[in-house]
DNA sequence: AATTATTTTTAGACTTGTCTAAATATTTAT
DNA sequence: ATAAATATTTAGACAAGTCTAAAAATAATT
């Protein structure tokens, strides 16, 4: 519906992405301070940029009332997210990066401008549905599956499930997962749950491990 | 020998690369106008930037005397070239781009900042020695094989050779090669040479084709 | 060698994105 | 409901990179 492809700077794209991610998490309109915090910049800079994005009809904006992406803005945001996640898949699956190493690199790669590159890359990777952190990859038209956020901690004894993502994607958490050999797609069976501290014994690759509640609360799973 | 990794902007990198490519072609010190022409900018802008690069000890510069890369500058240039060519290999070999489509994309990808990415990518691609245009890929330490520029036009009847590059990398020439099924690594046997116009009959994939002198002058080959 | 012509540099202005400090709105608390 | 605290916006300055127009240096011509 857009008459001409407007070209955004890397900075503009980063603002759009930040607004999108806050908007998705909170549902509400996004405050200037939140954006500043996310982008590690100052509120005054954000104010300036929001005006610019508003002029380009990428956000709705009334002074002092916070901001929200227009449908055009949202569509751009989703495209950036799509690029980011597809690149992450490539880095982890093909170049042997680990979960915790890829974010900064993907942050750069997502800004590569090309109409065809990301689609070719997606095909090369066999149309992955989730990135290495378990977040869903939007399709070519911007449709994105919102997964229902089932945590491992809510699973019952005897159930089987597949790991599809992590909630906490801090470097230390991801390293812990690497060490315990839990990764995307891992099949887990809940053997028992300790009432005292809610820790779980799970079976993974035919071996049993104990998982603290702290951990199970941060693992998204799909029940089988 | 450099005490700390200095970070260059994309623009600075482009200047370094431009100076390098002109310096390699001509051998002489590079004039402001030549750089301006290459980068499609104005001489005044070039003047400013050269001063900046000179402050950073990446070029030698005396007013009105042209400029030359220092060894530090040259090493940076070669690293960029390395990135550019490795990305081109990936785009053509793995994502099915054609020779003539990849330049602009590689121009973006070469600026991705990462100490590990390009080495991992190189390994993933099995350490290619040449890019899809036949230009040699510098190794991790910046060593670059200067190939001896043997043209197909200098081959004799009965000789066998492999295509390792093109001199003219215009889009129309690359398309012509695609159409005639000549690509990097193609094995060619010279069947005959027509004295009148120096056109050649060559054998490629068990089929014979006529190649004008204009074409054979622009194909780098390695004799077998 | 003196005069053109060309190349290169400087000076000043503009754009994008940033910042600090001050002014204005809004929200919270009393 | 008024004062205090917080959030947001404006104003003005700065850095990177670009440009035009004018000045200075080099090269070419006669």
């Amino acid at each position: 519906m857009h008459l001409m492809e407007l070209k955004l700077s890397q900075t503009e794209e980063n603002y759009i992405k930040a607004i999108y991610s806050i908007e998705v998490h909170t549902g509400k309109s996004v405050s200037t301070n939140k954006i500043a915090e996310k982008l590690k910049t100052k509120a005054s800079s954000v104010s300036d940029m929001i005006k610019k994005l508003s002029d380009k009809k990428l956000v709705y904006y009334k002074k002092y009332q916070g901001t929200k992406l227009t449908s055009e803005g949202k569509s751009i945001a989703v495209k950036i997210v799509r690029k980011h996640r597809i690149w992450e898949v490539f880095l982890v699956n093909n170049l042997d990066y680990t979960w915790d190493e890829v974010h900064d690199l993907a942050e750069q790669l997502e800004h590569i401008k090309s109409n065809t590159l990301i689609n070719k890359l997606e095909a090369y990777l066999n149309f992955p549905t989730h990135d290495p952190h378990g977040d869903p990859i939007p399709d070519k038209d911007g449709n994105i599956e919102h997964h229902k956020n089932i945590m491992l901690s809510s699973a019952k004894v005897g159930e089987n499930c597949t790991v599809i993502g992590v909630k906490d994607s801090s470097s230390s958490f991801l390293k812990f997962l690497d060490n315990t050999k839990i990764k995307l797609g891992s099949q887990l069976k809940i053997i028992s749950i300790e009432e005292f501290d809610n820790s779980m014994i799970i079976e993974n690759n035919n071996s049993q491990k104990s998982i603290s509640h702290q951990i199970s609360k941060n693992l998204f799973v799909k029940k089988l």
Side-chain angles (χ1 to χ4, degrees), chain A:
Chain A
M1 198 54 92
H2 41 35
L3 300 176
M4 78 164 203
E5 241 3 88
L6 77 160
K7 275 193 240 153
L8 299 183
S9 72
Q10 219 154 295
T11 311
E12 288 171 318
E13 288 194 352
N14 282 334
Y15 273 91
I16 295 276
K17 204 176 63 146
I19 295 167
Y20 176 77
S21 108
I22 300 170
E23 204 176 307
V24 163
H25 267 271
T26 65
K28 293 182 249 172
S29 88
V30 180
S31 80
T32 304
N33 262 359
K34 276 263 165 56
I35 300 171
E37 187 189 355
K38 181 128 206 162
L39 293 177
K40 297 197 177 78
T41 181
K42 293 295 147 69
S44 56
S45 308
V46 175
S47 252
D48 287 346
M49 181 55 87
I50 291 177
K51 250 174 267 167
K52 221 175 115 183
L53 295 177
S54 175
D55 290 345
K56 294 188 178 179
K57 308 250 187 278
L58 301 177
V59 300
Y60 300 114
Y61 171 62
K62 286 218 193 68
K63 278 187 194 178
Y64 296 99
Q65 303 307 130
T67 192
K68 259 194 161 180
L69 292 174
T70 63
S71 64
E72 173 81 11
K74 209 168 295 177
S75 136
I76 290 171
V78 171
K79 278 184 192 130
I80 303 171
V81 168
R82 170 173 156 82
K83 288 188 192 180
H84 184 103
R85 294 183 179 164
I86 288 177
W87 275 115
E88 283 196 339
V89 172
F90 174 69
L91 294 174
V92 170
N93 287 6
N94 300 60
L95 299 194
D96 291 321
Y97 277 99
T98 55
W99 292 12
D100 53 314
E101 296 174 315
V102 295
H103 187 77
D104 292 347
L105 249 176
E107 202 93 320
Q108 291 183 64
L109 289 161
E110 74 191 8
H111 297 296
I112 298 292
K113 257 113 187 142
S114 162
N115 291 323
T116 53
L117 176 58
I118 212 64
N119 296 335
K120 279 180 180 266
L121 187 58
E122 182 189 33
Y124 181 67
L125 299 170
N126 276 122
F127 301 93
T129 59
H130 294 79
D131 78 7
H133 305 97
D135 297 312
I137 295 173
D139 72 16
K140 218 178 291 204
D141 303 314
N143 303 309
I144 181 166
E145 164 223 314
H146 333 259
H147 59 213
K148 322 98 207 157
N149 296 359
I150 301 174
M151 309 319 293
L152 176 58
S153 52
S154 69
K156 308 279 188 303
V157 171
E159 285 182 335
N160 283 286
C161 52
T162 315
V163 177
I164 63 168
V166 295
K167 188 176 176 197
D168 170 7
S169 61
S170 71
S171 169
S172 57
F173 185 54
L174 296 178
K175 282 213 182 88
F176 168 85
L177 294 178
D178 256 12
N179 292 339
T180 48
K181 307 273 181 272
I182 292 175
K183 35 187 178 179
L184 254 203
S186 287
Q187 306 280 322
L188 307 181
K189 178 173 188 176
I190 287 82
I191 305 298
S192 68
I193 300 177
E194 175 59 54
E195 272 190 47
F196 173 63
D197 63 355
N198 284 308
S199 67
M200 288 176 163
I201 309 286
I202 55 139
E203 191 176 290
N204 174 31
N205 290 335
N206 300 318
S207 79
Q208 297 201 352
K209 288 154 194 161
S210 172
I211 295 274
S212 74
H213 190 54
Q214 179 65 16
I215 300 294
S216 64
K217 273 192 313 190
N218 280 292
L219 278 174
F220 290 121
V221 296
K222 184 160 58 183
K223 287 188 189 170
L224 295 180

